[in-house]
Amino acid sequence: MSRAGNRTGPTMHDVAAAAGVSQATVSLVLNDASGTRFSEETRHRVQDAARQLGYRTNAHAKVLRDGVAGMIGFVGDFVATAPFAGKIIEGAQGRAWEAGLLLLTVNTGGDKALEKSSLETMLSYKVAGVVYAGMYHRVLEVPEALGEVPAVVLNSRDRSGRLPSIAPDEELGGYTATRRLLDAGHRRIAMINIGIPDDDALPAAAGRRNGYLRALADAGVGPDPRLQRNGEGEVAGGYANTLELMALDEPPTAVFCANDRTAWGAYQALDSLGLGVPDDVSVVGFDNQETLAPNLRPGLTTLELPFVEMGRRAVELVLAGSGAAGSGAAGSGAAGPRAGGPRTELLECPLIERQSVAPPNKPRNRKPEKRRKP
């Protein structure tokens, strides 16, 4: 036999020596054994040593020991084609890989037959669990089959309340965006939403609006219904609503747009009126869409959806046995749809500062006259 054929690669003993821990600790850390407690420093030492040595866990042994394959299923509707898909999958895949597992990803395109078939195939392969993801934050009808394995709903919520969910903290995001404008000195702050906030299926629209209203209330600013507009989250809606807002007798000095595409439309409308951002009107968006927000002129101050962190956290809950088939672990966010059931963990959306916010300019005593179509 050739020399190359005798190579077995680094062993668990080698990882233990490099990390300065016992072989048992390496085994427990790399296999994410339940009921064990290690400091983050120890966990990182073991993972770094394994990565540097090129150590691979024995997938066959894991199946024999645990009765599950070395894979976690990831099923989404339009996730793989959405602008933010890369980050949400990156987070989930990275966390799965740290646990020695592969992420088996299926994009169904909203096809329920494909979704059912995909889930049945994943379950037949005895995946360790399933992450069920939505393209945007909404309430979903979750397949009954997910009750057979540890499962987590990602970027959406389970209408039945059976499964735990991971979602952005929309209300805190709306509050942070509005607070940023208030801190800059604005009091006439408009909001252009991404849908009808009273629609129970759209927690993103409701949460961002509630955060906006709460920030105004905390600052002692009474809400003006004329400054609140509902759109569809597209450029055209941002454009049309901004024109209407700026035609008011007392136009806003700032606009909170509930997504970045709406903000792009607002930029175009303000430019068509001969108004500048932020000299005449400040604008804050939501999403931090990488192909858009940094490339507007000036760059758009916006809230970032924490997709990498959400993907990682969803896999962590699957590994911990969350879901109807697991322990039903509760998270640290708002309560889920069913009282006493699994909860929705809400992750903070950080503010990304660019150049679209400034103190309010002196009010203009004329209505804008110049209007050009985008």
Side-chain angles (χ1 to χ4, degrees):
M1 184 179 291
S2 69
R3 183 179 179 184
N6 286 324
R7 292 179 182 174
T8 59
T11 66
M12 194 174 289
H13 178 77
D14 296 328
V15 176
V21 298
S22 69
Q23 186 172 322
T25 297
V26 172
S27 177
L28 292 170
V29 169
L30 295 183
N31 287 292
D32 277 309
S34 61
T36 59
R37 293 180 180 273
F38 299 102
S39 69
E40 283 303 306
E41 191 271 337
T42 297
R43 193 177 300 276
H44 286 313
R45 278 213 325 271
V46 171
Q47 292 169 347
D48 289 344
R51 187 162 44 249
Q52 291 170 9
L53 291 172
Y55 174 78
R56 295 185 180 91
T57 56
N58 188 326
H60 180 63
K62 186 176 180 66
V63 173
L64 293 177
R65 182 183 67 249
D66 300 336
V68 296
M71 295 183 291
I72 290 177
F74 185 103
V75 179
D77 45 14
F78 297 92
V79 173
T81 57
F84 316 103
K87 287 191 172 184
I88 205 167
I89 294 175
E90 173 191 342
Q93 181 173 274
R95 184 63 187 90
W97 185 250
E98 289 172 7
L101 302 173
L102 294 176
L103 193 72
L104 179 59
T105 305
V106 175
N107 186 70
T108 67
D111 184 330
K112 289 300 180 182
L114 176 58
E115 176 182 275
K116 181 179 179 181
S117 176
S118 300
L119 284 173
E120 288 176 352
T121 300
M122 288 180 178
L123 295 177
S124 72
Y125 276 101
K126 297 189 180 299
V127 293
V130 176
V131 175
Y132 187 77
M135 178 179 64
Y136 60 90
H137 189 181
R138 63 196 193 278
V139 179
L140 296 174
E141 300 289 347
V142 175
E144 291 290 331
L146 290 179
E148 300 178 26
V149 292
V152 175
V153 178
L154 176 58
N155 200 37
S156 288
R157 305 186 191 187
D158 175 12
R159 186 180 301 279
S160 71
R162 291 183 300 121
L163 299 179
S165 305
I166 305 294
D169 194 333
E170 310 285 6
E171 181 170 339
L172 179 58
Y175 184 94
T176 301
T178 310
R179 185 76 252 176
R180 175 66 183 90
L181 294 168
L182 287 163
D183 289 345
H186 295 276
R187 292 299 179 266
R188 293 282 295 171
I189 302 173
M191 179 185 181
I192 306 176
N193 214 332
I194 54 175
I196 301 172
D198 294 331
D199 185 347
D200 291 337
L202 288 174
R208 294 175 195 186
R209 192 274 305 268
N210 290 342
Y212 161 79
L213 294 175
R214 182 160 63 89
L216 293 179
D218 286 354
V221 177
D224 185 343
R226 295 174 301 170
L227 298 181
Q228 300 173 45
R229 306 283 164 143
N230 294 325
E232 297 180 353
E234 298 299 336
V235 176
Y239 182 87
N241 278 301
T242 301
L243 289 180
E244 293 177 4
L245 288 167
M246 300 312 298
L248 295 173
D249 290 336
E250 293 183 79
T253 62
V255 182
F256 165 39
C257 297
N259 73 358
D260 291 348
R261 292 190 299 277
T262 299
W264 187 12
Y267 269 54
Q268 294 178 17
L270 293 169
D271 180 66
S272 75
L273 298 172
L275 301 175
V277 177
D279 293 339
D280 297 303
V281 180
S282 290
V283 179
V284 172
F286 207 116
D287 288 347
N288 194 33
Q289 190 169 335
E290 289 184 343
T291 57
L292 179 59
N295 298 313
L296 293 177
R297 294 292 180 267
L300 178 64
T301 294
T302 185
L303 277 294
E304 181 172 63
L305 291 167
F307 280 131
V308 173
E309 293 80 3
M310 287 166 57
R312 289 186 61 85
R313 182 59 181 152
V315 171
E316 285 176 356
L317 289 181
V318 167
L319 293 172
S322 289
S327 62
S332 60
R338 186 181 66 189
R343 297 170 66 87
T344 298
E345 283 196 24
L346 303 177
L347 274 63
E348 182 177 354
C349 302
L351 179 71
I352 307 300
E353 287 277 5
R354 294 194 178 92
Q355 300 84 39
S356 63
V357 177
N361 206 343
K362 293 181 180 180
R364 297 189 173 203
N365 295 322
R366 61 175 179 82
K367 292 183 180 180
E369 298 176 356
K370 183 181 178 182
R371 296 190 179 185
R372 299 193 310 266
K373 291 185 177 180

